[in-house]
Amino acid sequence: MFRTVKGFHDIYGEDIEYWEKLEGALKKLYKTYGFKEFRLPVLEKTAVFNRGIGETTDIVEKEMFTFTDGDGESVSLRPEGTASLIRAYIENGLGNPPGVKKYCYMGNMFRRERPQKGRFRQFTQSGAEVLECESPLLDAEMITLLLDAAKAAGIEDFVRMEINSIGCPECRPAYRKKLTEYFSARREVLCSDCLRRLDKNPLRILDCKNEGCKRVSEDAPVILDYLCGECGSHFDSVKKYLEKLGTPYTVNSRMVRGLDYYVRTAYEMVTDKLGAASAVGAGGRYDGLVRLMGGGEIPGIGFAIGMDRVVSLMKEKERIAERKADVFIVFFSGKAEKIGLSLVKELRGAGITAEYDYDVASMKSQMKKANRSGARFTVILGENEIESGKAALKDMESGSQKECNLADLAETIKKSLV
Ligand code: HAM
């Protein structure tokens, strides 16, 4: 027997109902905010991610599914969408003509992380990115949109929004220096990964899940105390606009995010219900990323929602049963078959989910199958009914049965289904 690759999973049965509901709700929501859909490839040149996400991030250092393809080129399954989208924005010349661009995407991402509750190696993100706008009002709107997404999924009671500012290349070096000094004086408690991070990227230490590192991080200097004037007033404006928009948030001055492209606003929508996998969706501003990837001086901000995590929360919130057929059609073999099959076709044509017994077995056996199918209605085409151009329509919930003209059947069923 074959099994899925570690960290990969099948999605089927009633879970599909939650996924469809979520996908539909998000698409509708993005549309109202003016986002256009973008479909990005699953595979990119590895350099796209190395450059975009950062060489010293966990994702690039150890989590990518990377291989050399037939042409000797290093390629990777995308671990996230932002770097790909920026590659696409530059490659397709989307900065022309200039103006605010809003893109949304949905798709599988791949990270070779240690699988656990809410953490997979193949997972699905729904992301939103806005380019060519620096206004703090946009930051506030993106944070609001992320919470609106939770509302659209019906899980707003399970989440809360945390925000921070992580400064810019102007103010971060001074903070980085302070942090290096702080952690260097406490080397003995750091894990081996963090000892490496100390020289290369000390901010990453703040994100380490190791108990010892977590404890020393608690008293570490916080970036908010080191923001330059511009970053400070940008962050103040973001908070002011959040208040104007009525969007609830708390400031978490220890949040750093695991990707290197962020500047200024960073935000995470977190939950207490998924164990260690606490972020349901997260993002931030990445004003230098387009330039870093070979384009112009273009500001950007976005987020991605972990849809697998949202689905887990939706399942805690409400039970959605797997969809059943609307109608099961029962008919005799022989002469009635033609009428039965054309009725199936007609009902399906009217958008009704219609099923029947492919064996066209005995009436008794077909009725049993109709019962087992869980269909909302059964239509019975007996000899007498066919002669008179009618069918018996049985409501499987109440058990009541009535005669109905074949010509009116689709309309009658449709009316009772709403
Ligand atoms: P991220 O924080 O790495 O950001 O991922 C965003 C969300 O994806 C997480 O909050 C989480 O819900 C989900 N996620 C991440 N890894 C896994 C996993 N292994 N299993 C299940 N869910 C996972 C980004 O990816 C950025 N590209 C977001 C962004 C867009 N920033 C700006 N624009």
Side-chain angles (χ1 to χ4, degrees), residues 263-280:
V263 292
R264 296 190 169 170
T265 317
Y267 49 103
E268 288 188 345
M269 188 164 74
V270 295
T271 181
D272 302 322
K273 293 200 169 284
L274 290 173
S278 65
V280 176

Side-chain angles (χ1 to χ4, degrees), residues 80 82 111 113 118 120 125 129 257 261-262 279-280 302-303 306:
E80 60 115 44
T82 312
R111 293 183 196 175
E113 294 187 80
F120 312 101
Q125 278 187 347
E129 316 282 355
R257 308 278 301 120
Y261 47 63
Y262 292 116
V280 176
F303 63 72

Side-chain angles (χ1 to χ4, degrees), residues 292-395:
L292 185 72
M293 295 195 63
E297 204 57 63
I298 303 288
I301 181 168
F303 63 72
I305 297 167
M307 294 176 73
D308 308 74
R309 294 183 185 175
V310 175
V311 165
S312 294
L313 296 181
M314 287 167 79
K315 286 168 81 170
E316 279 201 31
K317 185 80 186 185
E318 68 166 328
R319 169 143 169 69
I320 315 178
E322 191 175 359
R323 207 170 313 152
K324 300 283 180 356
D326 298 322
V327 192
F328 195 100
I329 299 163
V330 168
F331 52 89
F332 284 114
S333 60
K335 206 168 71 185
E337 259 175 10
K338 196 162 176 231
I339 299 174
L341 292 174
S342 70
L343 183 63
V344 171
K345 202 165 157 183
E346 185 195 329
L347 295 186
R348 285 177 177 167
I352 294 165
T353 308
E355 293 273 28
Y356 63 98
D357 175 18
Y358 296 111
D359 295 330
V360 200
S362 71
M363 214 49 158
K364 198 170 149 205
S365 146
Q366 286 189 50
M367 284 305 290
K368 238 194 222 159
K369 284 184 183 159
N371 262 322
R372 252 189 276 136
S373 77
R376 179 74 180 73
F377 294 99
T378 302
V379 168
I380 306 150
L381 284 173
E383 297 282 1
N384 296 342
E385 281 99 346
I386 285 179
E387 301 271 298
S388 55
K390 290 181 191 302
L393 178 64
K394 185 173 179 188
D395 184 326

Side-chain angles (χ1 to χ4, degrees), residues 7 9 53 59 63 79-83 85 105 109-130 142 146 257-259 261-262 267-270 274 277-286 289 300-310:
H9 60 286
I53 300 170
I59 296 179
E63 292 171 358
E80 60 115 44
T82 312
L85 186 99
Y105 51 87
M109 306 293 161
F110 305 85
R111 293 183 196 175
R112 232 179 147 280
E113 294 187 80
R114 202 160 49 80
Q116 60 180 74
K117 188 176 176 190
R119 182 174 299 153
F120 312 101
R121 291 185 169 184
Q122 177 182 305
F123 57 100
T124 309
Q125 278 187 347
S126 161
E129 316 282 355
V130 181
M142 292 302 280
L146 183 53
R257 308 278 301 120
L259 304 96
Y261 47 63
Y262 292 116
Y267 49 103
E268 288 188 345
M269 188 164 74
V270 295
L274 290 173
S278 65
V280 176
R285 182 163 273 288
Y286 47 83
L289 182 59
I301 181 168
F303 63 72
I305 297 167
M307 294 176 73
D308 308 74
R309 294 183 185 175
V310 175

Side-chain angles (χ1 to χ4, degrees), residues 56 58 61-62 190-202 205:
T56 57
D58 281 355
E61 272 188 348
K62 52 187 184 194
L190 297 181
C191 70
S192 55
D193 276 345
C194 284
L195 284 174
R196 246 183 333 105
R197 290 169 180 145
L198 194 51
D199 296 325
K200 290 207 238 156
N201 198 345
I205 302 175

